[in-house]
Amino acid sequence: MKNIKFYLQAIVVIGLISSCSDDTYTTTEQKNAGNEPKAIYETVYTQQQLANWEKTGSPYLENELDNSSNTLIDPTLASTAGVFKPLLPESQTRGFGVNPQQNRFWTMIRLIIGNIEDYDEAPLRSCVIKAISEIEKQTNIRFYNAIDDPVTDPNYGFTYPNVRIQMAPLGQFGSSYVGRIGGEQYINISWDMKNNFNDYTIDGVVGFVKHALCNAAGMYNEQQRYDRDTYINIYTNNIQSANRFHFDKITQNYYARGSFDWNSITLASSYDFSANGAKTITDKSDNELPVNTELSDLDRMFINYFYLPYKARTDVYRELDDVVFDGNNRQLTPSEIQELERYLNNGAYKPSTGGMSQKPW
């Protein structure tokens, strides 16, 4: 049997850019092609992550990088738990602070759609569901509806990590954490996007949510690449002082593949976080950068490098979805998927019980 290294080097390729979730979304007064408003969107880092960044050049330490490319899920945990290794209650991260034992990637991203709208077909909720569906179709990420799950793991007692999508608390903007921080974390949607939904394009709203979900999956901003100065100009004096970190470079613990990705959904557009209405970022010829609302090929490569598409199950069997991509976005053949799945399960075949239907969003 070919070993997992073969597949996970196919699923993994040399390193992708943490092409990350940008903080691209800025004020509703921001200039934008088509003149539609663009909601403020802030990437949130814990205080410990910011301290790591200042000290090491990265918000994450090397021992926080467990993922499907290099780590098997603990044999006692279901893939729906969201984590690769059980976390003891004393090592759990809450609120502010990242424990070095935590890793930032997920097995399945546990989602709870919270207080967005009161009825299933409401337009903003529909855009959230559309964003989830499009990411699942294009990448190895799988989302798990954790709305009815208990708060803690029954065996280990750690709080399940969940991403709750909700309306932003009063006075706050749209925002998301980067990666899995432990316990419950949030994707906040701005009230302007709900109250003035018809002022926005569907692509813009769906792109907003996809960007936030890419944040939660562990992606950085494209403009934070270590080599970005070769490709773009950053006008620091025009950036809101509280948001300058959105343009700081990541110089350690990154994965870079290929050249600068102009099409990344995470790349900031030219007036993001402007303090004075002037441009904050351009290309080297001072041309404006547009708002990207779709995942680029390199965005997909980053995700497909680090993730495997597990199906939700009630047991610890590792069942892969019918579509699996390698790190070059190539779709694996059915026989390759079968062999990889057998490796993940130490040669065991899928049991006749244990499968589960995903709860509808």
Side-chain angles (χ1 to χ4, degrees), residues 182-331:
E184 189 158 83
Q185 61 194 80
Y186 305 95
I187 290 175
N188 291 318
I189 298 176
S190 73
W191 280 95
D192 186 74
M193 188 171 281
K194 178 177 180 178
N195 293 337
N196 300 298
F197 182 84
N198 290 334
D199 292 341
Y200 293 81
T201 65
I202 296 298
D203 285 347
V205 176
V206 174
F208 176 98
V209 178
K210 287 194 290 191
H211 170 189
L213 291 171
C214 286
N215 263 341
M219 296 178 73
Y220 296 131
N221 299 320
E222 187 72 12
Q223 72 269 14
Q224 295 178 302
R225 277 179 63 120
Y226 70 101
D227 60 351
R228 60 97 185 277
D229 294 331
T230 304
Y231 303 96
I232 57 175
N233 299 318
I234 302 293
Y235 298 101
T236 305
N237 291 339
N238 295 336
I239 300 172
Q240 300 161 3
S241 57
N243 285 303
R244 286 178 182 166
F245 71 91
H246 289 122
F247 296 87
D248 289 345
K249 288 187 285 189
I250 306 290
T251 59
Q252 296 291 330
N253 295 337
Y254 60 81
Y255 291 81
R257 184 186 181 195
S259 59
F260 193 85
D261 185 8
W262 299 102
N263 298 315
S264 175
I265 198 170
T266 72
L267 177 60
S269 57
S270 280
Y271 295 89
D272 286 352
F273 299 108
S274 178
N276 52 17
K279 289 177 284 192
T280 56
I281 178 174
T282 67
D283 67 15
K284 282 300 184 182
S285 298
D286 204 35
N287 295 311
E288 294 183 10
L289 305 184
V291 179
N292 295 329
T293 60
E294 299 291 340
L295 272 68
S296 69
D297 286 343
L298 281 176
D299 290 338
R300 294 178 59 224
M301 285 180 181
F302 176 89
I303 292 169
N304 293 334
Y305 177 95
F306 287 116
Y307 283 87
L308 286 175
Y310 295 110
K311 287 185 177 181
R313 294 184 61 87
T314 58
D315 57 21
V316 296
Y317 185 81
R318 312 304 175 206
E319 183 178 2
L320 295 173
D321 211 341
D322 297 335
V323 176
V324 181
F325 297 103
D326 70 12
N328 286 312
N329 297 337
R330 179 184 70 87
Q331 187 172 329

Side-chain angles (χ1 to χ4, degrees), residues 68-82:
S68 288
S69 74
N70 61 21
T71 307
L72 297 180
I73 305 173
D74 184 280
T76 62
L77 286 172
S79 56
T80 54

